[in-house]
Amino acid sequence: MTTAIVTDQFGGLLRAHRRRSGMTQQQMADLATLSVRAIRDLESGRARRPREETVRLLADVLRLTGTSREAFHDVARSHLPTEGTGAAGPVAGPPPVLLGTTVGREHEMRSLIELLTVDRQRLVSVVGLGGVGKTRLVRETAGALRDGHGWDVLWVPAAGLAPDLRELRHLEPSVTDAGGDHGHDVLLVLDGLGHRAEGPLAHHLLERGPGLRIVLTAPTPSRLSGEQVMPVAPLPVPGRALDHDAAALAEFSAVRLFLSHLRRLRPHAPRPAATAAVAELCRTLDGVPGALETTAAWGLVHSPEELLRSLVRDPERFSAPPAAWGPATGSGSGAVLRSLAVLEPPLRERLAALSALPGSWTLEEAALLAGASLADTVYGLLVHGLVRTADEDGPDRFRVLNRVRSVLAGHSAPFSTGHGPAPGYDAASAVVRAVA
């Protein structure tokens, strides 16, 4: 029996159960958190590889029990994706359920929605350091587009990505004719794509579906033709001048996120306040949401002052949450190393020189390192998420992330290019003296 025949059998069985239950395709899609197009493609046999989780959700919605449920799963299992050689490619599904707290990303979410709707950008890469909240931002945006604009959303997680993504061709039925006369819009999210983008395939899918938009989340831009890059920066952090103004500190999203986690850990304790120690923790952790969350997880046994003292001694001390908390967010030194590994050697060398500058600096101060403008260098490092703008008044100032400084100080050897010391190290010392 061929896959097509089995798929038709499953589609026919699904359609029969749906009609028997009195549901429309829209009602079934809503209850199963799938798109109407996904239900339609399954029933018609155009979607040939339903995920096991999708089959379980459909069985739950149809309230199948006993032998009916077993038969439903048996038909589906005969063509579910398998492991190993010849396995099905990445499988798209609805966006993952959003868990936890999202703080301070209202402007980014509005900008991303405008890029996809008002500006009608077809290919957007949301980039930044690991743990900065790229997936969460895109998940919130996808939910808003689905619920508020009626878009279909297809989500392909990093764990399901094939090495070269060529097998994403099985998504064609879901995006073909997207747009057209009915204004049908589809958002395809490739989450955690990294550098595995398949340019011809992405453009092929975009050509097949005029209403298709593709959003990639990755540490760095994929450099595909027509790509619109949207960097996601860490959350704003307060300056030291505000350390004794609890009300002012509480206005900063990094402080609010950190305190929100502490409150959930100790809901019956006095409400945690925005203190100087909390503000310094946010600065030390660069306002990276993932780092704030994992550090706050240790707040069940450590005060903010104790957390801060531990971080000063060991910047990696809280890069992972307690074992009972759950998996790490990938915001520690590993995320920095992954971003450093894909930097061009000249950019990496200039980053090492810039990391010698104390505190924040302007482009003019940084230019002393090379005797010429470093605007392109700083631009590239901002896109990679290794440098951030300083939250200070006056001319734009920038700073290398603390965790990047720590990694560069302790892991210089793996990034050696074989050309001796990085150019600019001697100049860096001169700049330190000039701007200290």
Side-chain angles (χ1 to χ4, degrees):
M1 184 177 292
T2 66
T3 300
I5 294 174
V6 172
T7 303
D8 288 341
Q9 283 187 349
F10 177 74
L13 185 61
L14 174 62
R15 182 169 55 252
H17 279 306
R18 177 182 61 78
R19 289 176 176 174
R20 190 176 300 116
S21 68
M23 282 188 289
T24 64
Q25 290 180 335
Q26 180 67 63
Q27 290 169 332
M28 173 175 277
D30 292 341
L31 291 171
T33 64
L34 299 171
S35 68
V36 177
R37 178 175 286 269
I39 300 297
R40 188 161 56 242
D41 289 347
L42 284 170
E43 290 190 355
S44 67
R46 294 176 70 187
R48 300 181 175 226
R49 295 184 176 100
R51 294 188 305 167
E52 189 170 2
E53 175 67 11
T54 299
V55 176
R56 185 190 64 76
L57 284 171
L58 292 171
D60 289 343
V61 168
L62 292 168
R63 297 185 178 180
L64 298 179
T65 59
T67 57
S68 295
R69 189 182 185 99
E70 290 176 7
F72 188 75
H73 278 279
D74 285 343
V75 173
R77 282 193 194 100
S78 60
H79 63 284
L80 284 173
T82 57
E83 301 294 332
T85 305
V91 179
V97 175
L98 187 62
L99 303 174
T101 303
T102 302
V103 175
R105 292 303 189 192
E106 298 82 6
H107 297 296
E108 289 90 340
M109 182 175 168
R110 190 179 306 117
S111 295
L112 183 53
I113 289 176
E114 288 181 357
L115 276 176
L116 297 169
T117 58
V118 179
D119 299 339
R120 297 191 66 81
Q121 292 290 337
R122 307 289 310 283
L123 182 62
V124 179
S125 284
V126 178
V127 300
L129 192 66
V132 81
K134 303 181 293 296
T135 295
R136 182 174 291 277
L137 169 63
V138 175
R139 171 62 186 88
E140 290 242 19
T141 300
L145 291 172
R146 181 192 60 197
D147 300 335
H149 297 257
W151 286 28
D152 286 346
V153 177
L154 301 173
W155 191 284
V156 180
L161 292 175
D164 58 9
L165 294 185
R166 283 177 293 185
E167 292 195 35
L168 274 175
R169 288 188 178 277
H170 74 268
L171 296 177
E172 282 191 44
S174 298
V175 304
T176 299
D177 300 327
D181 297 333
H182 303 290
H184 180 69
D185 291 292
V186 174
L187 175 65
L188 172 61
V189 179
L190 304 179
D191 185 28
L193 185 63
H195 280 272
R196 291 173 287 179
E198 181 76 13
L201 174 59
H203 293 134
H204 173 76
L205 292 175
L206 290 169
E207 183 179 346
R208 293 294 302 275
L212 174 68
R213 320 293 202 283
I214 297 178
V215 171
L216 306 88
T217 69
T220 59
S222 61
R223 299 184 180 181
L224 296 178
S225 174
E227 173 190 36
Q228 172 68 46
V229 177
M230 178 178 172
V232 179
L235 296 173
V237 296
R240 288 188 173 84
L242 300 175
D243 277 1
H244 299 290
D245 188 340
L249 292 178
E251 294 296 317
F252 284 83
S253 50
V255 174
R256 297 203 317 271
L257 178 63
F258 186 84
L259 293 179
S260 72
H261 286 279
L262 289 184
R263 293 185 191 112
R264 286 199 295 276
L265 289 168
R266 296 181 173 182
H268 300 294
R271 187 179 180 87
T275 62
V278 170
E280 185 63 23
L281 274 171
C282 292
R283 288 190 290 266
T284 301
L285 297 170
D286 303 303
V288 175
L292 292 169
E293 291 176 8
T294 55
T295 302
W298 291 93
L300 189 61
V301 293
H302 296 296
S303 69
E305 289 77 12
E306 291 170 338
L307 292 173
L308 183 58
R309 285 195 292 271
S310 294
L311 279 177
V312 171
R313 292 192 299 268
D314 178 9
E316 289 294 300
R317 173 66 181 86
F318 304 118
S319 60
W325 183 274
T329 60
S331 58
S333 61
V336 176
L337 288 168
R338 286 190 292 273
S339 292
L340 290 174
V342 298
L343 283 182
E344 297 290 335
L347 196 58
R348 191 185 305 143
E349 292 165 351
R350 289 169 186 164
L351 172 63
L354 288 171
S355 70
L357 291 171
S360 63
W361 33 267
T362 65
L363 288 176
E364 289 73 19
E365 291 166 347
L368 294 175
L369 286 171
S373 172
L374 290 182
D376 287 345
T377 294
V378 175
Y379 182 96
L381 295 174
L382 284 168
V383 169
H384 284 79
L386 301 169
V387 165
R388 65 168 296 164
T389 55
D391 303 303
E392 302 173 14
D393 295 330
D396 285 342
R397 302 185 69 84
F398 309 90
R399 59 185 303 274
V400 178
L401 269 62
N402 292 321
R403 184 147 286 163
V404 175
R405 293 176 188 269
S406 175
V407 169
L408 288 174
H411 297 83
S412 57
F415 302 109
S416 173
T417 59
H419 301 295
Y425 279 136
D426 293 338
S429 300
V431 174
V432 169
R433 292 191 296 270
V435 301

